[in-house]
Amino acid sequence: MIIAIDGPAASGKGTLARRVADAMGYAYLDTGLLYRATGAKVLALGLDPSNDDAAITAAEKLVSGDLDGEELRSEEVGSAASKVAAIPKVRAVLLDFQRDLARTPPAGKRGAVLDGRDIGTVVCPEAPIKFYLTASVEERANRRFKQLQEKNPAAIYERVLKELEERDARDSARDVAPLKMASDAIHIDTDRLNADAVFNAVMAHIRTHMGEND
Ligand code: CDP
Ligand code: CDP
């Protein structure tokens, strides 16, 4: 069983996906971390994340230990992630890893929850349950600003808003696997919903689906 959760930056994918995976006893993969870790590797070398060769080499050298670390959560790394994510070969390199985890979850797990931008459209188009989360860019910037401010009191809302707008534009405009709702996804506008309300709505859909397919 695969559950796909896609949507733009700070729409609440990770928070939701982690809770759904816990509730279902499924594995969880935050696919954004793969792109973030690739972007961070290129930045650490002092190179441009839009440089094809540097980004492809970084993606090929990725190991699971690269996926940990608070520094991956910064907007600077998020921006680098969306630059490497626009390079087709980088996406191809990272695709197998995502598909393997989705199709062969670790021992003891009966399924997987993946969150990202192209899970329902490209990584796991066969997933029987797909969600697409949205919220206005101002609401999303507010959510990300609050997260960042907890770690860095000097975070600036206007800057977070601008970075999210740039990242959304880049993610939606790229040629390969752009941010787009799958035609069979359930759309949830989370603007006026808190994380609990989104989780409850999603679990209700999952239970209905499971009940119908028993
Ligand atoms: O993974 P993604 O970037 O889509 O978002 P996230 O990091 O899971 O969520 C961003 C922040 O929004 C977190 O602090 C959540 O607690 C909060 N939030 C949410 O996830 N869902 C809502 N409906 C409202 C707020
Ligand atoms: O948490 P947030 O939504 O801010 O970002 P993320 O999910 O960690 O993703 C960081 C960047 O990686 C995105 O802006 C995308 O450019 C890229 N990404 C992607 O292209 N495809 C995915 N499946 C996941 C992330």
Side-chain angles (χ1 to χ4, degrees):
M1 168 58 71
I2 300 171
I3 299 175
I5 301 178
D6 290 304
S11 53
K13 304 178 298 293
T15 305
L16 173 69
R18 192 169 287 113
R19 282 181 78 176
V20 170
D22 278 351
M24 301 294 294
Y26 288 2
Y28 165 50
L29 180 62
D30 172 356
T31 66
L33 273 184
L34 301 173
Y35 295 93
R36 283 176 180 266
T38 303
K41 258 187 197 294
V42 178
L43 289 181
L45 292 170
L47 297 171
D48 177 359
S50 299
N51 175 311
D52 288 27
D53 290 340
I56 294 163
T57 306
E60 284 171 344
K61 287 191 177 157
L62 220 54
V63 292
S64 52
D66 294 332
L67 305 180
D68 296 327
E70 218 24 72
E71 64 284 0
L72 294 182
R73 298 280 165 203
S74 74
E75 265 312 306
E76 187 197 7
V77 171
S79 167
S82 86
K83 290 178 184 162
V84 302
I87 300 168
K89 181 76 198 295
V90 168
R91 303 199 72 84
V93 170
L94 300 179
L95 193 58
D96 286 345
F97 179 83
Q98 299 172 69
R99 284 193 174 149
D100 287 350
L101 183 116
R103 289 165 194 175
T104 319
K109 305 281 184 188
R110 288 170 295 120
V113 182
L114 280 80
D115 86 71
R117 300 290 183 292
D118 62 339
I119 309 304
T121 51
V122 175
V123 179
C124 302
E126 77 285 11
I129 313 184
K130 304 176 183 178
F131 296 98
Y132 191 80
L133 304 187
T134 57
S136 68
V137 71
E138 290 80 11
E139 169 63 19
R140 291 185 287 113
N142 203 23
R143 292 176 189 172
R144 185 53 40 91
F145 171 65
K146 283 189 191 154
Q147 282 177 310
L148 294 173
Q149 210 185 24
E150 278 172 24
K151 289 163 233 149
N152 174 12
I156 300 167
Y157 171 82
E158 282 72 23
R159 194 162 155 192
V160 175
L161 175 66
K162 185 164 171 282
E163 280 166 341
L164 284 200
E165 283 173 337
E166 284 173 6
R167 201 140 64 84
D168 285 352
R170 205 180 292 121
D171 290 349
S172 304
R174 68 180 174 229
D175 293 333
V176 191
L179 170 66
K180 192 168 131 240
M181 184 168 112
S183 57
D184 54 347
I186 296 163
H187 177 205
I188 301 182
D189 177 355
T190 72
D191 246 336
R192 287 162 206 278
L193 298 177
N194 65 25
D196 284 346
V198 177
F199 173 70
N200 291 334
V202 158
M203 288 306 293
H205 279 293
I206 294 172
R207 284 192 205 101
T208 303
H209 175 92
M210 298 287 194
E212 283 166 0
N213 291 278
D214 257 350

